[in-house]
Amino acid sequence: MDYEAVMKLALERGFYFPSCEIYADAQAGFWEYGPSGVSLKNKFLELWRRELIRRDGMLEIDGSQIMSKSVFEASGHLGNFADPIIKCIKCNATFRADRTIAELTQIEIPESADLEEFDNVISQNNIKCPKCKGDFDKTKNFNMMFKVGIGPEEEEAYLRPETCQSIFVDFPRLYKTMRGKLPIGIAQVGKSFRNEIAPRQSLLRLREFYQAEIEVFCNPNNLSEVEKFSEIQDVTLRIQTDGDPVSMTCKEAVESGVVPNKLVAYYLGILTEFYEKTGIDITKSRFRKLGDKEKAFYAEVAFDFEVETTIGWLELVACNYRSDYDLTSHATKSKQKFEIMDGDDKVLPHVFEISMGIDRSLYTILEHSLKEDKEHERIVLALKPYLSPVHIGILSLVKKDGLKEKTDEIYLQLKRKCDAFLDHSGAIGRRYRRLDEIGSPFAITVDHQTLEDGTVTIRMRDSMEQKRINISELDSEVIQSIAYP
């Protein structure tokens, strides 16, 4: 199914919708999750915690969304966190340079390219304003930070453009109080804010968005001494350097030099295993190794985990080896010590980052899971059972003859064990179809036979198979089936 089908599902079934949509002055780039979307997001994050945070023994923090000017002076964001923009001399419309050029000429220029490169391409290809056909002024950089004033004196501060900076500035305290040992991962989930020039396509480019970031602090002298590497050495990675993606195991990727060391390969491996469990078609994914002009200003080595969708390849995770850029920058600015003891060695740790876009990941899961069953004339959201917003629908065949009361009783029995949905109204076929669309893997129907022998009909979403089971078997039949792997 394509983007439009996902958008229709999102709006009609409570996954997500525009913020402040009742007002004409509502700004683009702000979206809200409805009940189905919140449920999916929470289950996705629980899987992330199980498969990455707990598996690797990481720490998780929850930092402030507003941070001081000094943080972003040290991090380089105030000087470097910018997108290239072009402004029409005639109508004053502003566009993002790299995207406008790509859309009008199919010429791809990295957003981090020199400004002169954009100007040259615009001049050579006679690119005009899409709105009025006017000429463009020189390309400029636009800093995407949201500035805020603190207190009556309006002291300068900023909404964070990424969640990781609090991890870096908190590192000395966390390492000491949590009795850290390298390598150690520190994670954070939360909202970040970027003043995007032209946000579009719902969850794919937002001004306020969710990130799940992991910063792995490591000894740069021990990057190939990873005890847990054997766990993932046979996991297959799809890596693109030049040309089409090539499949290779984590072990082969290290031995061939495509991935620089075992530490990076280990985290690419467990990230691949995580996304396989989200239901994304992993054969449509790749780790794209970024060139020098594409990498973030702080990255020595960078891989983007991208997944193919009907609107192109989407970057879901940025994997960056940031070396000691961040800790050195904050140590210099703050005059605090960031070196720690690793055994007998005094070390300034290096950092490997796994920066995940949650909103884009959820969109991709929805698109890869949404199916059209033409044979049975239905739309099915074939989510993994543990990610489904509703685990089980509990339906009464009719509301009379005591069936409503029995259905309510079963709902009370299950609603604290899983996400259950109680539905008494409408034709049973239409109720099944609604549950199929929000991804509910099971539906049970209470009918007159239930009152006679204590059995219900359970229906499977994907196969549409129906069978009768005893009410006492619901726990083993349903609860175990929706457990995380």
PDB file of all heavy atoms in Angstrom, residues 45 48-49 53 59-65 67 160 162-168 170 186-191 211-215 354 356 358:
ATOM      1  N   LEU A  45       8.430   1.366  21.384  1.00  0.00           N
ATOM      2  CA  LEU A  45       9.487   1.761  22.321  1.00  0.00           C
ATOM      3  C   LEU A  45       9.783   0.668  23.332  1.00  0.00           C
ATOM      4  O   LEU A  45      10.932   0.499  23.753  1.00  0.00           O
ATOM      5  CB  LEU A  45       9.091   3.058  23.038  1.00  0.00           C
ATOM      6  CG  LEU A  45       9.161   4.315  22.168  1.00  0.00           C
ATOM      7  CD1 LEU A  45       8.592   5.515  22.904  1.00  0.00           C
ATOM      8  CD2 LEU A  45      10.597   4.593  21.730  1.00  0.00           C
ATOM      9  N   TRP A  48      12.011  -1.588  21.537  1.00  0.00           N
ATOM     10  CA  TRP A  48      13.339  -0.947  21.471  1.00  0.00           C
ATOM     11  C   TRP A  48      14.087  -1.145  22.786  1.00  0.00           C
ATOM     12  O   TRP A  48      15.279  -1.478  22.787  1.00  0.00           O
ATOM     13  CB  TRP A  48      13.141   0.533  21.165  1.00  0.00           C
ATOM     14  CG  TRP A  48      14.357   1.403  21.202  1.00  0.00           C
ATOM     15  CD1 TRP A  48      15.330   1.514  20.257  1.00  0.00           C
ATOM     16  CD2 TRP A  48      14.728   2.321  22.248  1.00  0.00           C
ATOM     17  NE1 TRP A  48      16.272   2.439  20.638  1.00  0.00           N
ATOM     18  CE2 TRP A  48      15.930   2.946  21.859  1.00  0.00           C
ATOM     19  CE3 TRP A  48      14.142   2.679  23.466  1.00  0.00           C
ATOM     20  CZ2 TRP A  48      16.558   3.901  22.636  1.00  0.00           C
ATOM     21  CZ3 TRP A  48      14.775   3.628  24.249  1.00  0.00           C
ATOM     22  CH2 TRP A  48      15.966   4.236  23.846  1.00  0.00           C
ATOM     23  N   ARG A  49      13.397  -0.971  23.894  1.00  0.00           N
ATOM     24  CA  ARG A  49      14.056  -1.139  25.204  1.00  0.00           C
ATOM     25  C   ARG A  49      14.473  -2.601  25.415  1.00  0.00           C
ATOM     26  O   ARG A  49      15.559  -2.873  25.932  1.00  0.00           O
ATOM     27  CB  ARG A  49      13.128  -0.672  26.324  1.00  0.00           C
ATOM     28  CG  ARG A  49      12.955   0.838  26.371  1.00  0.00           C
ATOM     29  CD  ARG A  49      12.187   1.300  27.605  1.00  0.00           C
ATOM     30  NE  ARG A  49      12.220   2.750  27.696  1.00  0.00           N
ATOM     31  CZ  ARG A  49      11.241   3.548  27.300  1.00  0.00           C
ATOM     32  NH1 ARG A  49      10.129   3.026  26.784  1.00  0.00           N
ATOM     33  NH2 ARG A  49      11.356   4.863  27.401  1.00  0.00           N
ATOM     34  N   ILE A  53      18.247  -1.660  24.705  1.00  0.00           N
ATOM     35  CA  ILE A  53      18.665  -1.121  26.001  1.00  0.00           C
ATOM     36  C   ILE A  53      18.945  -2.240  27.005  1.00  0.00           C
ATOM     37  O   ILE A  53      20.032  -2.336  27.571  1.00  0.00           O
ATOM     38  CB  ILE A  53      17.596  -0.157  26.568  1.00  0.00           C
ATOM     39  CG1 ILE A  53      17.223   0.901  25.534  1.00  0.00           C
ATOM     40  CG2 ILE A  53      18.101   0.496  27.855  1.00  0.00           C
ATOM     41  CD1 ILE A  53      18.380   1.655  24.963  1.00  0.00           C
ATOM     42  N   LEU A  59      22.102   2.320  30.092  1.00  0.00           N
ATOM     43  CA  LEU A  59      21.410   3.212  31.015  1.00  0.00           C
ATOM     44  C   LEU A  59      20.461   4.087  30.207  1.00  0.00           C
ATOM     45  O   LEU A  59      20.746   4.442  29.073  1.00  0.00           O
ATOM     46  CB  LEU A  59      22.407   4.103  31.758  1.00  0.00           C
ATOM     47  CG  LEU A  59      23.588   3.418  32.447  1.00  0.00           C
ATOM     48  CD1 LEU A  59      24.521   4.468  33.050  1.00  0.00           C
ATOM     49  CD2 LEU A  59      23.114   2.447  33.517  1.00  0.00           C
ATOM     50  N   GLU A  60      19.324   4.465  30.813  1.00  0.00           N
ATOM     51  CA  GLU A  60      18.403   5.373  30.136  1.00  0.00           C
ATOM     52  C   GLU A  60      18.148   6.585  31.020  1.00  0.00           C
ATOM     53  O   GLU A  60      17.918   6.445  32.230  1.00  0.00           O
ATOM     54  CB  GLU A  60      17.071   4.682  29.822  1.00  0.00           C
ATOM     55  CG  GLU A  60      16.125   5.566  29.012  1.00  0.00           C
ATOM     56  CD  GLU A  60      14.821   4.881  28.628  1.00  0.00           C
ATOM     57  OE1 GLU A  60      14.702   3.650  28.816  1.00  0.00           O
ATOM     58  OE2 GLU A  60      13.908   5.588  28.137  1.00  0.00           O
ATOM     59  N   ILE A  61      18.193   7.765  30.415  1.00  0.00           N
ATOM     60  CA  ILE A  61      17.938   8.999  31.154  1.00  0.00           C
ATOM     61  C   ILE A  61      16.778   9.750  30.493  1.00  0.00           C
ATOM     62  O   ILE A  61      16.305   9.375  29.427  1.00  0.00           O
ATOM     63  CB  ILE A  61      19.182   9.909  31.218  1.00  0.00           C
ATOM     64  CG1 ILE A  61      19.520  10.468  29.812  1.00  0.00           C
ATOM     65  CG2 ILE A  61      20.368   9.163  31.799  1.00  0.00           C
ATOM     66  CD1 ILE A  61      20.525  11.603  29.834  1.00  0.00           C
ATOM     67  N   ASP A  62      16.353  10.815  31.140  1.00  0.00           N
ATOM     68  CA  ASP A  62      15.309  11.680  30.595  1.00  0.00           C
ATOM     69  C   ASP A  62      15.733  13.124  30.858  1.00  0.00           C
ATOM     70  O   ASP A  62      15.584  13.632  31.963  1.00  0.00           O
ATOM     71  CB  ASP A  62      13.967  11.374  31.261  1.00  0.00           C
ATOM     72  CG  ASP A  62      12.805  12.118  30.630  1.00  0.00           C
ATOM     73  OD1 ASP A  62      13.042  12.890  29.668  1.00  0.00           O
ATOM     74  OD2 ASP A  62      11.663  11.949  31.080  1.00  0.00           O
ATOM     75  N   GLY A  63      16.306  13.771  29.839  1.00  0.00           N
ATOM     76  CA  GLY A  63      16.887  15.096  30.010  1.00  0.00           C
ATOM     77  C   GLY A  63      15.933  16.215  29.648  1.00  0.00           C
ATOM     78  O   GLY A  63      14.836  16.002  29.126  1.00  0.00           O
ATOM     79  N   SER A  64      16.359  17.431  29.919  1.00  0.00           N
ATOM     80  CA  SER A  64      15.555  18.624  29.659  1.00  0.00           C
ATOM     81  C   SER A  64      15.471  18.904  28.159  1.00  0.00           C
ATOM     82  O   SER A  64      16.429  18.705  27.416  1.00  0.00           O
ATOM     83  CB  SER A  64      16.180  19.828  30.366  1.00  0.00           C
ATOM     84  OG  SER A  64      15.487  21.007  30.039  1.00  0.00           O
ATOM     85  N   GLN A  65      14.310  19.410  27.720  1.00  0.00           N
ATOM     86  CA  GLN A  65      14.128  19.758  26.314  1.00  0.00           C
ATOM     87  C   GLN A  65      14.663  21.159  25.999  1.00  0.00           C
ATOM     88  O   GLN A  65      14.906  21.470  24.840  1.00  0.00           O
ATOM     89  CB  GLN A  65      12.643  19.681  25.948  1.00  0.00           C
ATOM     90  CG  GLN A  65      12.081  18.270  26.049  1.00  0.00           C
ATOM     91  CD  GLN A  65      10.621  18.189  25.684  1.00  0.00           C
ATOM     92  OE1 GLN A  65      10.037  19.148  25.186  1.00  0.00           O
ATOM     93  NE2 GLN A  65      10.004  17.051  25.927  1.00  0.00           N
ATOM     94  N   MET A  67      17.768  23.762  26.736  1.00  0.00           N
ATOM     95  CA  MET A  67      19.142  23.723  27.236  1.00  0.00           C
ATOM     96  C   MET A  67      19.810  25.072  26.981  1.00  0.00           C
ATOM     97  O   MET A  67      19.397  25.842  26.112  1.00  0.00           O
ATOM     98  CB  MET A  67      19.920  22.592  26.563  1.00  0.00           C
ATOM     99  CG  MET A  67      19.248  21.225  26.718  1.00  0.00           C
ATOM    100  SD  MET A  67      20.221  19.854  26.050  1.00  0.00           S
ATOM    101  CE  MET A  67      21.444  19.663  27.337  1.00  0.00           C
ATOM    102  N   ARG A 160      16.121  21.740  22.253  1.00  0.00           N
ATOM    103  CA  ARG A 160      17.157  20.837  21.751  1.00  0.00           C
ATOM    104  C   ARG A 160      16.802  20.346  20.331  1.00  0.00           C
ATOM    105  O   ARG A 160      15.671  19.961  20.066  1.00  0.00           O
ATOM    106  CB  ARG A 160      17.331  19.643  22.687  1.00  0.00           C
ATOM    107  CG  ARG A 160      16.086  18.788  22.825  1.00  0.00           C
ATOM    108  CD  ARG A 160      16.265  17.722  23.883  1.00  0.00           C
ATOM    109  NE  ARG A 160      15.087  16.846  23.948  1.00  0.00           N
ATOM    110  CZ  ARG A 160      14.875  15.949  24.900  1.00  0.00           C
ATOM    111  NH1 ARG A 160      15.745  15.812  25.883  1.00  0.00           N
ATOM    112  NH2 ARG A 160      13.804  15.185  24.879  1.00  0.00           N
ATOM    113  N   GLU A 162      18.327  17.754  19.048  1.00  0.00           N
ATOM    114  CA  GLU A 162      18.567  16.318  19.169  1.00  0.00           C
ATOM    115  C   GLU A 162      18.627  16.003  20.656  1.00  0.00           C
ATOM    116  O   GLU A 162      18.923  16.875  21.477  1.00  0.00           O
ATOM    117  CB  GLU A 162      19.879  15.924  18.476  1.00  0.00           C
ATOM    118  CG  GLU A 162      21.098  16.671  19.000  1.00  0.00           C
ATOM    119  CD  GLU A 162      22.377  16.369  18.238  1.00  0.00           C
ATOM    120  OE1 GLU A 162      22.291  15.741  17.170  1.00  0.00           O
ATOM    121  OE2 GLU A 162      23.460  16.748  18.720  1.00  0.00           O
ATOM    122  N   THR A 163      18.341  14.761  21.013  1.00  0.00           N
ATOM    123  CA  THR A 163      18.264  14.438  22.444  1.00  0.00           C
ATOM    124  C   THR A 163      19.628  14.125  23.065  1.00  0.00           C
ATOM    125  O   THR A 163      19.747  14.049  24.279  1.00  0.00           O
ATOM    126  CB  THR A 163      17.339  13.221  22.672  1.00  0.00           C
ATOM    127  OG1 THR A 163      17.877  12.084  22.000  1.00  0.00           O
ATOM    128  CG2 THR A 163      15.940  13.493  22.171  1.00  0.00           C
ATOM    129  N   CYS A 164      20.660  13.976  22.248  1.00  0.00           N
ATOM    130  CA  CYS A 164      21.901  13.408  22.766  1.00  0.00           C
ATOM    131  C   CYS A 164      22.748  14.354  23.606  1.00  0.00           C
ATOM    132  O   CYS A 164      23.589  13.904  24.386  1.00  0.00           O
ATOM    133  CB  CYS A 164      22.742  12.861  21.616  1.00  0.00           C
ATOM    134  SG  CYS A 164      23.286  14.117  20.442  1.00  0.00           S
ATOM    135  N   GLN A 165      22.569  15.675  23.463  1.00  0.00           N
ATOM    136  CA  GLN A 165      23.485  16.579  24.154  1.00  0.00           C
ATOM    137  C   GLN A 165      23.416  16.437  25.676  1.00  0.00           C
ATOM    138  O   GLN A 165      24.428  16.572  26.367  1.00  0.00           O
ATOM    139  CB  GLN A 165      23.233  18.024  23.725  1.00  0.00           C
ATOM    140  CG  GLN A 165      23.665  18.334  22.289  1.00  0.00           C
ATOM    141  CD  GLN A 165      25.114  17.978  22.020  1.00  0.00           C
ATOM    142  OE1 GLN A 165      25.998  18.233  22.834  1.00  0.00           O
ATOM    143  NE2 GLN A 165      25.360  17.380  20.863  1.00  0.00           N
ATOM    144  N   SER A 166      22.226  16.173  26.224  1.00  0.00           N
ATOM    145  CA  SER A 166      22.159  15.978  27.676  1.00  0.00           C
ATOM    146  C   SER A 166      22.907  14.715  28.093  1.00  0.00           C
ATOM    147  O   SER A 166      23.464  14.654  29.198  1.00  0.00           O
ATOM    148  CB  SER A 166      20.701  15.920  28.152  1.00  0.00           C
ATOM    149  OG  SER A 166      19.955  15.008  27.398  1.00  0.00           O
ATOM    150  N   ILE A 167      22.958  13.715  27.214  1.00  0.00           N
ATOM    151  CA  ILE A 167      23.745  12.518  27.515  1.00  0.00           C
ATOM    152  C   ILE A 167      25.218  12.885  27.640  1.00  0.00           C
ATOM    153  O   ILE A 167      25.913  12.434  28.560  1.00  0.00           O
ATOM    154  CB  ILE A 167      23.544  11.446  26.424  1.00  0.00           C
ATOM    155  CG1 ILE A 167      22.091  10.968  26.400  1.00  0.00           C
ATOM    156  CG2 ILE A 167      24.490  10.266  26.640  1.00  0.00           C
ATOM    157  CD1 ILE A 167      21.782   9.978  25.295  1.00  0.00           C
ATOM    158  N   PHE A 168      25.711  13.728  26.735  1.00  0.00           N
ATOM    159  CA  PHE A 168      27.120  14.104  26.769  1.00  0.00           C
ATOM    160  C   PHE A 168      27.443  14.946  28.002  1.00  0.00           C
ATOM    161  O   PHE A 168      28.444  14.699  28.686  1.00  0.00           O
ATOM    162  CB  PHE A 168      27.494  14.869  25.498  1.00  0.00           C
ATOM    163  CG  PHE A 168      27.337  14.069  24.243  1.00  0.00           C
ATOM    164  CD1 PHE A 168      26.748  14.622  23.109  1.00  0.00           C
ATOM    165  CD2 PHE A 168      27.754  12.752  24.174  1.00  0.00           C
ATOM    166  CE1 PHE A 168      26.593  13.890  21.947  1.00  0.00           C
ATOM    167  CE2 PHE A 168      27.605  11.994  23.016  1.00  0.00           C
ATOM    168  CZ  PHE A 168      27.016  12.571  21.898  1.00  0.00           C
ATOM    169  N   ASP A 170      25.901  15.073  30.780  1.00  0.00           N
ATOM    170  CA  ASP A 170      25.671  14.314  32.012  1.00  0.00           C
ATOM    171  C   ASP A 170      26.657  13.163  32.183  1.00  0.00           C
ATOM    172  O   ASP A 170      26.667  12.503  33.237  1.00  0.00           O
ATOM    173  CB  ASP A 170      24.253  13.717  32.021  1.00  0.00           C
ATOM    174  CG  ASP A 170      23.168  14.777  32.123  1.00  0.00           C
ATOM    175  OD1 ASP A 170      23.492  15.925  32.468  1.00  0.00           O
ATOM    176  OD2 ASP A 170      21.991  14.456  31.846  1.00  0.00           O
ATOM    177  N   ILE A 186      24.382   4.812  26.812  1.00  0.00           N
ATOM    178  CA  ILE A 186      23.421   5.665  27.518  1.00  0.00           C
ATOM    179  C   ILE A 186      22.381   6.108  26.502  1.00  0.00           C
ATOM    180  O   ILE A 186      22.722   6.569  25.406  1.00  0.00           O
ATOM    181  CB  ILE A 186      24.104   6.877  28.180  1.00  0.00           C
ATOM    182  CG1 ILE A 186      25.196   6.405  29.147  1.00  0.00           C
ATOM    183  CG2 ILE A 186      23.072   7.728  28.920  1.00  0.00           C
ATOM    184  CD1 ILE A 186      25.983   7.527  29.806  1.00  0.00           C
ATOM    185  N   ALA A 187      21.115   5.947  26.859  1.00  0.00           N
ATOM    186  CA  ALA A 187      20.028   6.163  25.907  1.00  0.00           C
ATOM    187  C   ALA A 187      19.043   7.193  26.423  1.00  0.00           C
ATOM    188  O   ALA A 187      18.956   7.452  27.626  1.00  0.00           O
ATOM    189  CB  ALA A 187      19.303   4.837  25.638  1.00  0.00           C
ATOM    190  N   GLN A 188      18.293   7.748  25.483  1.00  0.00           N
ATOM    191  CA  GLN A 188      17.241   8.690  25.843  1.00  0.00           C
ATOM    192  C   GLN A 188      16.171   8.700  24.754  1.00  0.00           C
ATOM    193  O   GLN A 188      16.481   8.658  23.564  1.00  0.00           O
ATOM    194  CB  GLN A 188      17.800  10.109  26.006  1.00  0.00           C
ATOM    195  CG  GLN A 188      16.730  11.106  26.406  1.00  0.00           C
ATOM    196  CD  GLN A 188      17.270  12.485  26.789  1.00  0.00           C
ATOM    197  OE1 GLN A 188      16.573  13.257  27.402  1.00  0.00           O
ATOM    198  NE2 GLN A 188      18.510  12.779  26.435  1.00  0.00           N
ATOM    199  N   VAL A 189      14.917   8.735  25.190  1.00  0.00           N
ATOM    200  CA  VAL A 189      13.781   8.895  24.287  1.00  0.00           C
ATOM    201  C   VAL A 189      13.132  10.229  24.602  1.00  0.00           C
ATOM    202  O   VAL A 189      12.954  10.578  25.778  1.00  0.00           O
ATOM    203  CB  VAL A 189      12.735   7.782  24.489  1.00  0.00           C
ATOM    204  CG1 VAL A 189      11.489   8.046  23.637  1.00  0.00           C
ATOM    205  CG2 VAL A 189      13.323   6.433  24.138  1.00  0.00           C
ATOM    206  N   GLY A 190      12.759  10.975  23.578  1.00  0.00           N
ATOM    207  CA  GLY A 190      12.066  12.230  23.839  1.00  0.00           C
ATOM    208  C   GLY A 190      11.897  13.046  22.578  1.00  0.00           C
ATOM    209  O   GLY A 190      12.245  12.611  21.478  1.00  0.00           O
ATOM    210  N   LYS A 191      11.361  14.241  22.772  1.00  0.00           N
ATOM    211  CA  LYS A 191      11.107  15.114  21.634  1.00  0.00           C
ATOM    212  C   LYS A 191      12.299  16.029  21.353  1.00  0.00           C
ATOM    213  O   LYS A 191      12.966  16.506  22.266  1.00  0.00           O
ATOM    214  CB  LYS A 191       9.861  15.956  21.881  1.00  0.00           C
ATOM    215  CG  LYS A 191       8.570  15.172  21.683  1.00  0.00           C
ATOM    216  CD  LYS A 191       7.365  16.080  21.598  1.00  0.00           C
ATOM    217  CE  LYS A 191       6.135  15.284  21.157  1.00  0.00           C
ATOM    218  NZ  LYS A 191       4.937  16.135  21.024  1.00  0.00           N
ATOM    219  N   GLN A 211      12.688  11.191  19.048  1.00  0.00           N
ATOM    220  CA  GLN A 211      13.921  10.468  18.780  1.00  0.00           C
ATOM    221  C   GLN A 211      14.159   9.438  19.872  1.00  0.00           C
ATOM    222  O   GLN A 211      13.758   9.635  21.024  1.00  0.00           O
ATOM    223  CB  GLN A 211      15.125  11.410  18.747  1.00  0.00           C
ATOM    224  CG  GLN A 211      15.269  12.244  17.496  1.00  0.00           C
ATOM    225  CD  GLN A 211      16.537  13.075  17.537  1.00  0.00           C
ATOM    226  OE1 GLN A 211      16.710  13.926  18.408  1.00  0.00           O
ATOM    227  NE2 GLN A 211      17.440  12.847  16.597  1.00  0.00           N
ATOM    228  N   ALA A 212      14.815   8.362  19.495  1.00  0.00           N
ATOM    229  CA  ALA A 212      15.342   7.404  20.472  1.00  0.00           C
ATOM    230  C   ALA A 212      16.831   7.292  20.174  1.00  0.00           C
ATOM    231  O   ALA A 212      17.220   6.699  19.168  1.00  0.00           O
ATOM    232  CB  ALA A 212      14.653   6.051  20.336  1.00  0.00           C
ATOM    233  N   GLU A 213      17.632   7.908  21.019  1.00  0.00           N
ATOM    234  CA  GLU A 213      19.072   7.989  20.735  1.00  0.00           C
ATOM    235  C   GLU A 213      19.872   7.183  21.747  1.00  0.00           C
ATOM    236  O   GLU A 213      19.558   7.158  22.941  1.00  0.00           O
ATOM    237  CB  GLU A 213      19.539   9.447  20.740  1.00  0.00           C
ATOM    238  CG  GLU A 213      18.963  10.244  19.578  1.00  0.00           C
ATOM    239  CD  GLU A 213      19.721  11.531  19.331  1.00  0.00           C
ATOM    240  OE1 GLU A 213      19.653  12.431  20.187  1.00  0.00           O
ATOM    241  OE2 GLU A 213      20.354  11.650  18.271  1.00  0.00           O
ATOM    242  N   ILE A 214      20.906   6.539  21.245  1.00  0.00           N
ATOM    243  CA  ILE A 214      21.840   5.780  22.069  1.00  0.00           C
ATOM    244  C   ILE A 214      23.244   6.291  21.779  1.00  0.00           C
ATOM    245  O   ILE A 214      23.636   6.424  20.613  1.00  0.00           O
ATOM    246  CB  ILE A 214      21.764   4.276  21.745  1.00  0.00           C
ATOM    247  CG1 ILE A 214      20.390   3.709  22.131  1.00  0.00           C
ATOM    248  CG2 ILE A 214      22.877   3.513  22.453  1.00  0.00           C
ATOM    249  CD1 ILE A 214      20.141   2.314  21.599  1.00  0.00           C
ATOM    250  N   GLU A 215      23.968   6.605  22.831  1.00  0.00           N
ATOM    251  CA  GLU A 215      25.373   6.987  22.709  1.00  0.00           C
ATOM    252  C   GLU A 215      26.206   5.934  23.431  1.00  0.00           C
ATOM    253  O   GLU A 215      26.048   5.735  24.643  1.00  0.00           O
ATOM    254  CB  GLU A 215      25.628   8.374  23.317  1.00  0.00           C
ATOM    255  CG  GLU A 215      24.695   9.468  22.813  1.00  0.00           C
ATOM    256  CD  GLU A 215      24.769   9.705  21.318  1.00  0.00           C
ATOM    257  OE1 GLU A 215      25.876   9.545  20.752  1.00  0.00           O
ATOM    258  OE2 GLU A 215      23.734  10.043  20.717  1.00  0.00           O
ATOM    259  N   ILE A 354      23.650   5.787  17.827  1.00  0.00           N
ATOM    260  CA  ILE A 354      22.529   5.191  17.090  1.00  0.00           C
ATOM    261  C   ILE A 354      21.338   6.107  17.307  1.00  0.00           C
ATOM    262  O   ILE A 354      20.660   6.055  18.337  1.00  0.00           O
ATOM    263  CB  ILE A 354      22.217   3.767  17.593  1.00  0.00           C
ATOM    264  CG1 ILE A 354      23.479   2.905  17.592  1.00  0.00           C
ATOM    265  CG2 ILE A 354      21.114   3.124  16.763  1.00  0.00           C
ATOM    266  CD1 ILE A 354      23.322   1.598  18.339  1.00  0.00           C
ATOM    267  N   MET A 356      17.771   7.253  16.297  1.00  0.00           N
ATOM    268  CA  MET A 356      16.602   6.692  15.630  1.00  0.00           C
ATOM    269  C   MET A 356      15.474   7.705  15.550  1.00  0.00           C
ATOM    270  O   MET A 356      15.122   8.346  16.548  1.00  0.00           O
ATOM    271  CB  MET A 356      16.131   5.452  16.407  1.00  0.00           C
ATOM    272  CG  MET A 356      14.915   4.742  15.823  1.00  0.00           C
ATOM    273  SD  MET A 356      14.442   3.329  16.870  1.00  0.00           S
ATOM    274  CE  MET A 356      15.912   2.295  16.703  1.00  0.00           C
ATOM    275  N   ILE A 358      11.742   8.020  15.515  1.00  0.00           N
ATOM    276  CA  ILE A 358      10.607   7.170  15.877  1.00  0.00           C
ATOM    277  C   ILE A 358       9.449   7.370  14.913  1.00  0.00           C
ATOM    278  O   ILE A 358       8.834   6.394  14.448  1.00  0.00           O
ATOM    279  CB  ILE A 358      10.164   7.462  17.323  1.00  0.00           C
ATOM    280  CG1 ILE A 358      11.283   7.089  18.302  1.00  0.00           C
ATOM    281  CG2 ILE A 358       8.891   6.692  17.671  1.00  0.00           C
ATOM    282  CD1 ILE A 358      11.005   7.479  19.729  1.00  0.00           C
TER     283      ILE A 358
END
